[in-house]
Amino acid sequence: MTKLLITGAAGWLGSRLTKAAAGNVPELGEWVPACSEVRGLVLPQQKAPGVDSRAGVHFVHGDITQPESLSDFFESSEGSVLIHCAGIIHPRRTRQFDTINHLGTRHLLAAARAAGVRRVVHVSSNSPLGCNQSAEDPFDEESPYRPYGHYGLSKMRAELAVREAGQSGELETVIVRAPWFYGPNQPERQTTFFQMIRDGKAPLCGDGSALRSMAYVDNLCQGLLLSATHPAAAGETYWIADAKPYRFREILDAVERVLERDFQIAVNGGRLRLPSWTSQVAEWADRCLQAIGGYHAKIH
């Protein structure tokens, strides 16, 4: 029986993973390990997600940027497996990227070692690798780091900290890189994106042929649970994504179809068409703003 610790348990991915580990996602039944306990870490001001209490799920308040707050989370956790989903994507200031994504991960690794945790599965991102050099040049596990922005840099530093911990021999470590994902429990920013598509205001730069890898959230949960339990996963890095990338216009079209067919929501059908150079202007503005410590989610 595995004792499973999950950080970011109130977040989009973390809450879904917690429910899956508790047996609350029937579609993932065969992938869920037998858990003696599922323990989720949520921020002091956060409300724990709703999970069937009969499943042995417990939520603990703590903050990975405050190591002294993690003692309850790691209490009696020798031999357990930690899946680290906590992080920040859209902060107020760029310094929060390093404080939470990098230094917070280091605090967590130190606490895990001290508590005798057996394995740490770290949820990373495509951002440490930046952008593909061309559409014919997909990333693999050996691709070099070329981090995009402060977020990519913070996630790269977190990955390096995880690798360092694994190489020390004190912890088994696994890195899972997730792209843009979709599925149940989506946050407000994703709902806003859907509303823009519904209203015909989704921005389409150029012909919309830029490729994006995506992943269904339950497939990510499936991969994370395998990474937590499979003996061969120790020391490995994995990409988890749908079998093929999608052109951005395909993503917009798919959301339209789902809104109309599955939810009977009328859609405008229009696009906010922009010349391709507008994306380059937005990238320049994003880099300039981040260079002085600022951050604006919509520009990014």
Side-chain angles (χ1 to χ4, degrees):
M1 297 282 280
T2 301
K3 180 179 286 187
L4 194 60
L5 312 179
I6 300 172
T7 67
W12 184 4
L13 176 60
S15 63
R16 190 67 175 175
L17 180 65
T18 302
K19 289 182 178 182
N24 289 184
V25 183
E27 297 85 351
L28 289 177
E30 65 181 290
W31 303 101
V32 177
C35 295
S36 59
E37 180 186 351
V38 179
R39 190 181 300 172
L41 183 70
V42 298
L43 287 168
Q45 69 272 22
Q46 283 182 319
K47 181 181 178 182
V51 178
D52 187 344
S53 61
R54 293 173 297 176
V57 179
H58 304 283
F59 293 98
V60 177
H61 286 101
D63 185 337
I64 62 173
T65 68
Q66 304 295 326
E68 66 280 2
S69 73
L70 299 175
S71 56
D72 288 346
F73 181 59
F74 283 105
E75 184 180 1
S76 303
S77 58
E78 186 173 356
S80 63
V81 175
L82 167 66
I83 303 181
H84 178 31
C85 300
I88 192 166
I89 300 173
H90 297 299
R92 292 187 179 90
R93 302 290 293 177
T94 55
R95 63 175 177 268
Q96 291 177 285
F97 282 131
D98 198 66
T99 300
I100 296 170
N101 296 341
H102 169 219
L103 298 178
T105 299
R106 286 192 176 275
H107 296 323
L108 201 69
L109 290 167
R113 278 194 297 265
V117 169
R118 178 173 60 86
R119 179 177 290 189
V120 174
V121 180
H122 173 65
V123 180
S124 188
S125 163
N126 53 282
S127 292
L129 285 297
C131 298
N132 301 86
Q133 297 303 291
S134 73
E136 290 73 40
D137 178 33
F139 291 137
D140 62 25
E141 290 74 12
E142 303 302 321
S143 297
Y145 287 121
R146 285 192 293 264
Y148 179 84
H150 287 260
Y151 175 73
L153 186 62
S154 69
K155 296 297 278 187
M156 180 193 76
R157 288 171 173 167
E159 280 197 16
L160 293 174
V162 171
R163 291 183 192 278
E164 179 184 301
Q167 289 165 359
S168 74
E170 296 179 276
L171 287 169
E172 293 179 358
T173 58
V174 187
I175 294 171
V176 172
R177 291 174 178 156
W180 185 14
F181 51 89
Y182 60 95
N185 305 329
Q186 67 182 27
E188 184 179 351
R189 66 178 183 273
Q190 195 77 352
T191 301
T192 299
F193 175 60
F194 282 22
Q195 290 168 342
M196 292 171 70
I197 296 172
R198 177 198 66 192
D199 297 339
K201 297 178 180 178
L204 188 68
C205 296
D207 63 0
S209 62
L211 292 169
R212 290 294 301 264
S213 287
M214 300 185 72
Y216 181 52
V217 66
D218 284 359
N219 293 142
L220 274 176
C221 291
Q222 179 183 359
L224 289 169
L225 291 170
L226 277 170
S227 297
T229 55
H230 200 292
E236 297 293 338
T237 297
Y238 298 105
W239 290 91
I240 298 180
D242 291 351
K244 63 163 190 153
Y246 307 100
R247 299 190 186 281
F248 193 70
R249 62 172 179 264
E250 291 181 294
I251 298 170
L252 301 183
D253 292 344
V255 173
E256 276 192 348
R257 286 196 302 272
V258 169
L259 290 175
E260 290 186 315
R261 182 189 62 202
D262 297 347
F263 296 94
Q264 291 75 55
I265 295 174
V267 298
N268 178 284
R271 298 283 186 268
L272 181 59
R273 295 188 177 275
L274 302 168
S276 58
W277 55 261
T278 56
S279 62
Q280 297 169 330
V281 172
E283 180 183 5
W284 175 83
D286 184 35
R287 289 187 183 276
C288 289
L289 190 59
Q290 290 199 34
I292 59 173
Y295 186 87
H296 191 284
K298 290 185 177 179
I299 291 176
H300 178 76

